[in-house]
Every structure is written in structure tokens, then in C-alpha cells.
Amino acid sequence: MTAAPASFQTGFTLSPGVLVDAADAADVREAVRRAADRRLSVAVHATGHGLPGPVEGGMLIATHRMDGVTVDPERHTARVAAGTPWGRVIEAAAVHGLAPLNGSSPGVGAVSYTLGGGLGILAREFGYAADHVRSLDVVTADGVAREVTPTGEPDLFWGLRGGGHRLGVVTGLEIGLVPVARLYGGAVAYDGEHAAEVVRGYLEWTRTLPDTCTSSLSAMTYPDLPQVPEVVRGRYLVSVRIAYTGGAADGEALVAPLRTTAPVASDSLREMPYTESHTIHSDPPFPHAYYGDSAVLRDLDAVAAARVLELTGPQAPMMTVVQLNHLGGALAAPPAAAGAVPYREAGFLLRLLSPLGGTDVAAVRSLYGEVTGLLAPHLMGRALNFSFGGGDRTDGFHDPRTRERLAGLVSRYDPASLFGGPYGVSRDAR
């Protein structure tokens, strides 16, 4: 077996039979052809925030060396290579007063994020990142490098935007950028003893929000460690994160109800350049071990939401980070040529993540099962971008109709299942 490149996710070890450290699309083409000749399964590794499914004995194509971005300010587009993290795209676009539809962490790979749909910090105003893809360069299972556009290979263009890596190795893509240079954003945090009233107030607040405001609620007990800021160290806090593209004065009026929901422990809301948007969530920048999952919800009531926070709070058997994303807006109004991103009518996305230091994965899964069981009346499926357990489950990522269409594309473009099994089939990687 061969050791895989360093990952942000350190909780699962990848041991492929063959590792290809690709420098360009030609390396990827050669690797895929070699894998097909030797009947090796193929998986792709970029930054390693999320990991592919089982690769033991197969081929792992690492794309981290394929790191580059070129912005066309006239067309409001960017060409992004396979291993490029969002931080580089943000910086390159900001020079021209533009922004990509990135997520909360600048270290996440832009291409894999987009193939999974891409739920970003401006999502309610501009939709999924996948909806802004103009073209993709992909090597399919036959070793052919294809330029995929709405008019050239339209079926593949549909499937790659929301279907993940199952249809080939994407070596680069062209994305649309939006004219956003600054925003009003940050987080309002409350002591966890007020969790029930905060989540109730937050849900009521979301009912009246304009599409120009994208927000989420998070709850976690911060580790009592020296590297954690002293103001939050060891505390259970519930926070509301906000990204609003309107003016600061309007933003202040918009968030006023949140500041009266419960006593405020901290408040970082301010006007900022888009290049500082990562400070809204302040995701940890260092590699660590974790397991996570998600639940796409049609809606959510305050009683169920408060119960989720009880189950995952300080009394839970392990530390659990909860994030509840408010959906709707442009996410529910896809363009005419939308891709394979499912569950457009969902109202919320619940994300769960637990550090794995000394924690049994089976125990984490048991807790998550209790949470999703509680939410069964609202549950629609799971989000492809937010399964952080090494690809151990694939069920629920797409609704039946989307899954059936994707399966048809797999039969057409990868009949030998070089890139994995059928859509929607559970598997256990560990």
C-alpha cells in the first residue's frame, strides 16, 4: 500500500495501492487509462477536508499540485484548477471587485466543493456554486479529456454539477463571479443556557429575511485548550452567523431583533471587505480528526430544534458541533439549466460534526441517528458536501429521480464502475 498525501481530515487513513501525484491534466489522463487497463478503482484527493470512499488497493489521484486561478474581469469569470483552495480564488477575484460563491473555509478545494453543489456564505442571494459553472474539463473513465459545456455534452454538464466525482476526474472548471467587494457580517453569540430561546428567536427571524441575507446558527462547547481564544475557552455558546450584502445601516436594523433575543455574550458584526469573509465562521485552519453528517430538512420547528441542541450540547456523550443553515431564496429558484443539486425546496440544512480524538465512531453514529430520528418528519435527505466520515455512507445524497438519472450517466460514461459503485448504495469505508 502507498501512503496518501497529507489531509486536513486526519481521522481516516487512506492507503491506496497506487498514488498518482498529478501535475496537470495529462497526468490525470494517463493515470485513468492505466487504472482502466489494470482494473483499479479510482478516487480523487484535493485538500482532504472531505475524503473519498474506500481506496485500499485502488488508485488515488492527488490534485493538490494542480493549483491555479485566472480571472477574466470583463466576463466576470475565473478558471480554477483542480487542486485550488477557495482562498486563492477569493484573493484573485477581489482585485477586480468580484467574489466567487465560496464556502466558509478558505482552505477547502474549490472544485470538489462545487461538484457537490456548493452551499456558500452568499447562497440565499446567488444560489449554489454549481449553478454558476460555465464549463468543466473532465477526464472520463475511457481516458478521454472532455470540455463539458451546456451545449457540448449537456447531460454530463448536468450531472457533474451536483453529482460529485462519480462521473470522472475534473481537472479544472470555469465559474461565474459575482460583483461583491464587501459585506456586513460576523456573528452574535449567546451563552448556551439560553439555547432554546435563541433558536426559537432565530427561526422566527429567518421567516422575514431578504434573500440578500444568508445566515446560520451554530452551537458548540469550545475546547478548554490554550490555542482557543480565552473569551470562549471551555464555554458552550450558541451563535448566529450572518453575511448580508446590503449596507451596514440596513444590516444593523436587520439584526436588531437578534440582539434582544437573549443576553449577548459577544458580537463581531461589522462591515468588512469580502477577503475577510472567512472570519464570519472562523473555521479551524489546522488539520484534525472528525466525523460528520448532515440532514436536509423541509422545515424545522422550534421545539425540535431545541431538542437537537439538548441532545448535542454539553451533556452529550461526545463533543458535537451543530450548524443549522437557513436555505431558500435563490437556492429554491434554480436557473433553467440547473444541474443535479437535489432538494431545492428544503428550508434548512442541519450539519453535525464531532472530533474523533478518543471518540468511538460507532458512538458518534448512534448519537447522530438519535438526532435524525427526532427530525424524521422534516427529513428529506443528506448533503453531499457535508459527509465527513471518509465516504462511509452514500445513501440519501440525491432524491430518487436525480439518482436514477445520475445512474444512467454512470452506465454511459463509466460502465466498468472505475469511479465507484452505483449512486445511492451504502458502503462502509472503515
Side-chain angles (χ1 to χ4, degrees):
M1 295 293 181
T2 303
S7 290
F8 186 86
Q9 159 67 285
T10 63
F12 298 86
T13 302
L14 298 180
S15 301
V18 178
L19 172 64
V20 176
D21 198 3
D24 54 30
D27 286 349
V28 174
R29 286 199 307 273
E30 177 59 27
V32 170
R33 290 170 181 168
R34 189 164 20 124
D37 289 343
R38 297 170 62 180
R39 298 184 179 180
L40 297 175
S41 63
V42 176
V44 182
H45 182 285
T47 65
H49 279 71
L51 297 179
V55 298
E56 285 73 8
M59 176 182 286
L60 183 66
I61 300 176
T63 61
H64 61 100
R65 293 171 60 200
M66 300 170 64
D67 181 357
V69 55
T70 304
V71 173
D72 184 334
E74 299 300 321
R75 297 177 59 236
H76 286 198
T77 61
R79 296 286 309 179
V80 182
T84 310
W86 272 125
R88 289 205 58 194
V89 185
I90 293 168
E91 293 289 344
V95 174
H96 308 286
L98 302 171
L101 295 178
N102 56 283
S104 60
S105 172
V108 166
V111 170
S112 291
Y113 162 99
T114 302
L115 297 181
L119 178 66
I121 60 174
L122 302 179
R124 279 177 42 81
E125 182 170 1
F126 297 106
Y128 288 99
D131 293 336
H132 294 258
V133 173
R134 306 289 183 86
S135 67
L136 307 98
D137 298 322
V138 59
V139 177
T140 45
D142 53 7
V144 174
R146 305 170 187 263
E147 182 182 8
V148 179
T149 67
T151 55
E153 314 243 26
D155 290 340
L156 194 55
F157 184 72
W158 173 84
L160 287 168
R161 296 175 301 129
H165 284 282
R166 187 58 189 82
L167 295 168
V169 183
V170 174
T171 59
L173 46 75
E174 183 179 64
I175 56 172
L177 303 173
V178 296
V180 175
R182 40 71 52 206
L183 51 76
Y184 173 84
V188 181
Y190 312 82
D191 192 275
E193 67 177 349
H194 303 293
E197 56 203 279
V198 171
V199 75
R200 184 186 309 111
Y202 174 70
L203 291 174
E204 291 175 358
W205 182 70
T206 61
R207 309 300 182 195
T208 59
L209 287 183
D211 293 351
T212 48
C213 183
T214 302
S215 69
S216 64
L217 178 142
S218 74
M220 66 176 291
T221 300
Y222 286 82
D224 190 5
L225 298 172
Q227 59 264 44
V228 176
E230 187 173 357
V231 67
V232 300
R233 193 180 303 164
R235 298 180 65 184
Y236 178 57
L237 295 175
V238 180
S239 304
V240 177
R241 285 93 167 257
I242 294 160
Y244 173 62
T245 57
D250 289 339
E252 286 287 309
L254 190 69
V255 303
L258 293 177
R259 289 180 169 141
T260 61
T261 299
V264 173
S266 66
D267 186 337
S268 65
L269 289 170
R270 68 194 190 282
E271 188 154 12
M272 65 179 74
Y274 194 79
T275 51
E276 295 180 9
S277 60
H278 63 279
T279 64
I280 295 173
H281 291 248
S282 294
D283 293 332
F286 48 85
H288 55 288
Y290 48 94
Y291 185 91
D293 209 342
S294 61
V296 182
L297 306 173
R298 189 176 303 277
D299 203 348
L300 185 62
D301 61 86
V303 173
R307 179 60 180 147
V308 168
L309 297 189
E310 288 179 14
L311 288 172
T312 57
Q315 305 308 313
M318 74 286 297
M319 176 183 170
T320 301
V321 181
V322 176
Q323 180 162 309
L324 181 67
N325 290 79
H326 178 215
L327 306 179
L331 297 167
V341 180
Y343 311 125
R344 298 275 187 164
E345 66 275 30
F348 294 92
L349 169 67
L350 180 72
R351 297 159 56 182
L352 303 169
L353 188 146
S354 297
L356 287 183
T359 302
D360 179 34
V361 171
V364 178
R365 288 175 176 159
S366 177
L367 174 63
Y368 289 7
E370 189 174 357
V371 171
T372 54
L374 171 70
L375 298 173
H378 307 289
L379 188 62
M380 301 177 70
R382 301 164 64 227
L384 184 58
N385 276 143
F386 303 109
S387 175
F388 300 121
D392 62 326
R393 290 177 57 208
T394 61
D395 56 295
F397 286 148
H398 298 92
D399 60 273
R401 180 177 296 180
T402 302
R403 186 170 65 246
E404 182 179 2
R405 185 174 173 186
L406 287 169
L409 290 176
V410 169
S411 298
R412 177 177 166 189
Y413 286 98
D414 185 16
S417 293
L418 194 69
F419 298 112
Y423 274 98
V425 176
S426 282
R427 59 188 179 181
D428 196 321
R430 304 296 159 199

